[in-house]
Amino acid sequence: MKIDARYMVAKANKNGTVRYYWQRRGFFTRRLPDDEIEAVREAKALNAKADAEALAPVDLGPAPGTIAWAIAEYRASARWLNLSSTTRRVYERWMIKTEKQFGARSLTKLDPGSVDEMLGSIKSLGGKKHCAAVLQAIGKIAYRRGYRPTNPAMNLEIGRGKPRDQIWSKENEAAFLKACQVDLHGVAMGLAFLLMVDTAQRPGDLLRLTWASYDGTSLSLVQQKTGKRVEVDCTERLKAALDAAKAKRDRTLIVADRKGQRLTYGTFNKAFRRICEAAKIEGLQARDLRRTAVVRMAEAGALPQEVAAVTGHSLGKTMAILETYMPRTKKMQRAAIAKLERAK
């Protein structure tokens, strides 16, 4: 039997009928309709599709020497893989944006002027800093591979915003915890709030904590940003909250939604803002709780090295944080005057 279609074969059945198949190397065998005309039609359609795929250009990735190529090189580097997942997630946004707008541009044309052009369209200071970090990595690749005599993204004058010095008052704290009682994620958010303000850890680290991290008196965790392991004794109120949650736990994570699933960072931020709005709290953010914890420890008389043991910073970094973050509160000045009086 002559078959009018490439890669179409006929096989006889015992009862004298014929079945048809499409068999082409590199593709899965396909059973065709029993009607010969329909079988030929389908085989030709399959051949047309396979031929088109064979003629399609092969994606060889970004052209070497372009900004898109340097971004791909950075993604494959140990430097990128050693960043925390949070940092990678933030940088990825600006890598995608940079590749979309300037990916085809040659690295030889990556000069300080083009770097300023890339940063000029970004309004927020935080966005500029994150994009600048990405451009510095790209510029480093351009320099090391010989496309540029220097890294054009070094020593950028982006400017610095005014350091935040907001701290949570006890009244703010009470209002937030009260508002948690009627929020969709209120139980998880209330526990997360206490964890942040009583341990001085970052939200991202605390949202990943499992009950294996809690031994009944302290919490042990590895900070994602620094890679350091820290152990923090729990305050009495935090211990009480953790013990109450552990007694009725049916989940692995300490901070979890009603289904026992992890709160994503996005969900956490939305819930935090929602609860602040309900509590009529303005000008305060979740990140201010870490600063608040540092201030409270310092006000209680904790030495910088003691604060560093809790936060996980080096002593030098802790001193810089205390200098930058710590507002000069009325309570502190009163304590200083009281000590002066006692010394007379």
Side-chain angles (χ1 to χ4, degrees):
M1 178 189 301
K2 183 178 179 181
I3 299 177
D4 189 24
R6 291 175 298 144
Y7 307 110
M8 176 177 164
V9 297
K11 296 185 179 181
N13 295 317
K14 290 182 179 181
N15 61 4
T17 59
V18 178
R19 61 187 185 275
Y20 302 100
Y21 294 90
W22 181 73
Q23 295 180 333
R24 182 165 176 167
R25 187 175 182 180
F27 296 86
F28 290 111
T29 298
R30 294 279 296 271
R31 174 74 183 269
L32 300 173
D34 291 337
D35 182 80
E36 183 179 352
I37 295 176
E38 293 296 324
V40 169
R41 182 181 292 113
E42 186 169 327
K44 288 183 176 180
L46 290 169
N47 282 326
K49 183 178 179 181
D51 292 342
E53 291 178 1
L55 294 174
V58 178
D59 184 8
L60 300 177
T66 61
I67 288 177
W69 171 81
I71 290 175
E73 291 286 299
Y74 181 43
R75 282 197 183 99
S77 69
R79 182 182 178 188
W80 170 259
L81 296 176
N82 287 334
L83 295 174
S84 70
S85 60
T86 302
T87 301
R88 288 201 301 269
R89 184 168 60 250
V90 172
Y91 284 5
E92 185 67 30
R93 172 190 174 191
W94 297 105
M95 289 165 70
I96 293 172
K97 182 179 177 66
T98 300
E99 185 173 5
K100 183 177 180 180
Q101 290 187 261
F102 306 100
R105 184 176 295 185
S106 171
L107 289 173
T108 58
K109 297 181 179 179
L110 184 65
D111 55 19
S114 60
V115 170
D116 289 342
E117 177 189 351
M118 296 179 192
L119 295 176
S121 61
I122 303 173
K123 294 181 179 179
S124 70
L125 180 60
K128 285 181 184 291
K129 289 182 177 180
H130 293 146
C131 187
V134 169
L135 293 175
Q136 285 172 3
I138 295 172
K140 188 173 184 179
I141 291 172
Y143 165 66
R144 288 189 169 181
R145 299 299 180 88
Y147 291 97
R148 295 293 309 173
T150 59
N151 185 340
M154 294 301 292
N155 302 318
L156 298 175
E157 296 182 0
I158 297 176
R160 297 183 61 184
K162 181 182 178 181
R164 289 183 64 83
D165 61 1
Q166 287 84 346
I167 58 173
W168 285 70
S169 68
K170 292 293 185 178
E171 291 75 19
N172 294 144
E173 181 180 294
F176 184 94
L177 293 174
K178 182 178 180 180
C180 283
Q181 297 174 10
V182 294
D183 189 80
L184 174 65
H185 295 300
V187 174
M189 293 301 297
L191 187 55
F193 184 96
L194 292 179
L195 283 165
M196 286 186 287
V197 76
D198 281 6
T199 69
Q201 303 304 312
R202 300 176 183 85
D205 292 327
L206 297 174
L207 293 177
R208 288 189 300 274
L209 282 181
T210 66
W211 285 108
S213 305
Y214 177 57
D215 64 4
T217 59
S218 63
L219 287 163
S220 176
L221 60 96
V222 176
Q223 294 180 329
Q224 189 178 27
K225 185 174 183 179
T226 66
K228 294 181 179 179
R229 175 172 289 279
V230 295
E231 293 188 10
V232 184
D233 288 345
C234 297
T235 62
E236 287 299 321
R237 70 165 180 174
L238 178 58
K239 182 179 182 303
L242 288 172
D243 289 344
K246 188 175 183 180
K248 55 183 179 182
R249 65 175 177 144
D250 54 356
R251 57 201 62 180
T252 303
L253 294 165
I254 293 179
V255 179
D257 63 19
R258 293 181 298 176
K259 295 181 180 180
Q261 301 298 313
R262 175 184 169 186
L263 285 180
T264 65
Y265 198 67
T267 300
F268 167 83
N269 279 330
K270 288 179 181 178
F272 200 95
R273 289 193 295 268
R274 185 173 62 243
I275 294 170
C276 281
E277 184 177 350
K280 301 187 183 327
I281 296 172
E282 298 180 355
L284 293 173
Q285 302 175 9
R287 59 175 172 161
D288 298 328
L289 288 170
R290 182 165 162 86
R291 182 183 311 109
T292 298
V294 170
V295 169
R296 290 181 181 178
M297 285 187 284
E299 286 183 334
L303 299 174
Q305 56 265 38
E306 294 170 333
V307 174
V310 174
T311 64
H313 293 109
S314 67
L315 183 57
K317 180 66 174 178
T318 301
M319 295 293 290
I321 289 174
L322 290 173
E323 176 64 29
T324 302
Y325 284 176
M326 189 170 171
R328 277 40 174 178
T329 64
K330 183 173 290 189
K331 181 177 179 180
M332 294 172 63
Q333 65 90 7
R334 285 176 177 170
I337 296 300
K339 289 179 180 179
L340 178 62
E341 289 291 346
R342 289 195 297 270
K344 290 181 179 179

